Amino acid sequence: GGIVITFKLILLLILLSFWLTILIYSLLIKRQPIPKVFVEIFIPIFMGIIFPILFIVSYFAWFNSLLILYQTFFLYPPRIVANSQFNPSGLFAGIKWFLNNFYPLLLAATVAVDVSLRKSKNILTLLLVIWCIFAWGVIALQRGAFWEYHYLLLFVPLGILATKGLDVLWESLKKLSSPFTTILLIFLFFFPLSHTLLKKSVVLVNNNFALAEDTRFKYQTVFREKYPSLRSEAEFISQPESLPGKIYVAGDPSIYYFSNRTQATSLRGWALEYFLPEQWTKLLEELDSSKPPYIFIDYIQQPTINKNFPRMLEFIQGRYRILRQNDNGIWYTLL
């Protein structure tokens, strides 16, 4: 439990649902005595929480960074969520992505839930269902984001439930008289997964297994069409006559990778819409002190900067000059 919490505090909601369900199941359904529940449930939960957290706290205390730990876990997340607006398009896009990629798991998991809860009232199935419900709650609480990776909170419980569902479905498939029907149903069930695997395999083979840098880049470009333009931006500041040093990119961080340069500030330049007021001030201070030779402002991020912290653009225009401007954004170089 402690390891999960150290990754993201909001995941504590899922853990609490587990612990409460097990407690209710032990006390009210199995009617176990309280001392036994204390020894078998409370003590393991306490130890699983306290030791990882003590390790993390000790680590940050060693480097005099407890304030950063506090801000990261308790101060910034609720403020960012409070300042975020509900993003319905992001919600529907995430649900669509999850269904397109994992609907076989969802179908098999539905079968497992129906059979398990209707016949045997299995505690594992109940915990997995609760996991799914509270995972949806955690996703919904992050109302301003709804990024696709958030929905992977559902992947593990649905995967386990789907395994149980496949056992049930397989018993039904064995009763079919026609093997062709069985094969067809299995093919349709695994089609999304096999289609993705086949597509990636074909592209990988066509690019000589992406062993060389150029073929690896071609393989990556198939799945992320923006890579060529990002690489072009990076090549612009990777010439022999280019100024050395760290850079700052208010946009896609892949430019750092392609340019083989690091970030000049501790604060990132991606998803600036989630910045708090003091973070904008901190970013400006770090740009002033680090004096990166190049700054890139993506046109996608520029409206956010204009709205939330126009002083940053005033700072850049006073200390830098425009070096290049295209459909992606503007490169500035230090005066």
Side-chain angles (χ1 to χ4, degrees), residues 227-246:
Y227 260 22
S229 64
L230 293 172
R231 190 179 190 182
S232 174
E233 298 296 343
E235 288 175 347
F236 174 69
I237 59 168
S238 302
Q239 305 303 317
E241 64 274 13
S242 298
L243 298 173
K246 300 178 180 180

Side-chain angles (χ1 to χ4, degrees), residues 166-179 181-183 185-186:
L166 285 175
D167 288 337
V168 177
L169 291 172
W170 182 248
E171 293 298 323
S172 301
L173 287 175
K174 289 195 297 185
K175 298 177 182 179
L176 295 176
S177 58
S178 172
T181 305
T182 303
I183 294 172
L185 290 173
I186 293 174

Side-chain angles (χ1 to χ4, degrees), residues 282-295:
K282 177 69 173 177
L283 175 60
L284 195 60
E285 292 173 354
E286 292 187 358
L287 287 174
D288 186 28
S289 61
S290 62
K291 295 179 175 58
Y294 298 107
I295 291 178

Side-chain angles (χ1 to χ4, degrees), residues 47-65:
M47 294 177 64
I49 292 175
I50 198 66
F51 285 114
I53 291 180
L54 280 176
F55 175 79
I56 296 296
V57 171
S58 301
Y59 174 84
F60 279 87
W62 179 267
F63 291 99
N64 296 319
S65 300

Side-chain angles (χ1 to χ4, degrees), residues 81-100:
V81 171
N83 292 334
S84 301
Q85 295 182 346
F86 177 69
N87 182 13
S89 61
L91 174 62
F92 293 129
I95 293 174
K96 180 182 177 182
W97 172 84
F98 188 81
L99 292 177
N100 285 339

